[in-house]
Amino acid sequence: MSPIIYSNIRYFFCILLTGFVIKFVDDYIDREKDYLIGQKNIFNILDDNILPYIFIIYSVACYIDRTTAVTLFLASFSLGMIHDFTAKMPTLLYGYQESIILIALSVLIIGIKDMLSSLLIIASIHLIDDLIDVNKEIYIKKNWAFLLGKVETLTLSIIFFLLSVYINLYKTLMVLIATPLVVYIINLSLTKLENCSGKEGIKYV
Amino acid sequence: MFSKFLINIIIVLFIFLLSYALGRRVGKKEGYKEGIKSAPLILRKNYQKTGKCPICGQNLNKN
């Protein structure tokens, strides 16, 4: 195999594995919310038994390309996973303080270009995800499409995406291909797991 | 060339976003005020036409 194709496939796998990790951790944090609104969640089927596998997947992703894996995960954690920006976190800091410190530290350690491109593409995906889920999360009201408005969310998402393309076209395209793949594979495996275990995806144990 | 084109699109989208968001918020406030002012008139008009009380729904012109 040509080295260029090999390096591209390696990079794509790194982003794909990081995508799985992000989705799993996001599901873990949102498991109670998903139970309330009746959305499928892997942790409501398999309990907490798959937590160690998340670390294995993330280790492999970091081995392939540590900068991409770390920046994508930190960006998604600081933007999407913190539920309430005004709530106190286990670190005794408020949500927004934790986010700012995390972003500042990663910019200092990793570099502004890599971190900014990851932040922008993750923000874009997060906004699109909110836009898709706006009807399901109508009672939760922690949805950007609800807070800003649908057209504003869509426009902001496009702006973030274009800025990400401007900074790093290669990474943006790879993330763009990997994201629907991650969602498709997880939904497929959820349906199969539901059939095997006989549990309903919305049942919270 | 491509990056210049991209920056131009981003600026246009940003201007669109600002004006749309501002217009929507101003329009919502104006609409709310207009609605409050016109609601009694509309209720009165319906009451005069149908003879139905707008509060309890009782029909006043039974004959």
Side-chain angles (χ1 to χ4, degrees), chain A residues 96-138:
Chain A
Y96 71 92
Q97 290 171 337
E98 212 174 65
S99 267
I100 291 168
I101 290 171
L102 204 61
I103 291 169
L105 273 178
S106 23
V107 165
L108 277 175
I109 296 166
I110 300 163
I112 191 157
K113 205 178 168 189
D114 285 317
M115 195 60 203
L116 199 63
S117 68
S118 293
L119 274 171
L120 287 168
I121 188 68
I122 292 290
S124 171
I125 291 168
H126 187 63
L127 289 174
I128 289 286
D129 187 48
D130 272 6
L131 200 62
I132 293 167
D133 288 345
V134 67
N135 290 328
K136 289 180 197 163
E137 297 179 350
I138 199 151

Side-chain angles (χ1 to χ4, degrees), chain B residues 27-47:
Chain B
K28 254 186 166 180
K29 275 187 185 168
E30 274 180 12
Y32 185 77
K33 277 181 193 166
E34 224 166 83
I36 280 183
K37 278 178 189 166
S38 57
L41 294 173
I42 293 167
L43 287 173
R44 175 79 190 234
K45 190 177 143 195
N46 286 345
Y47 158 67

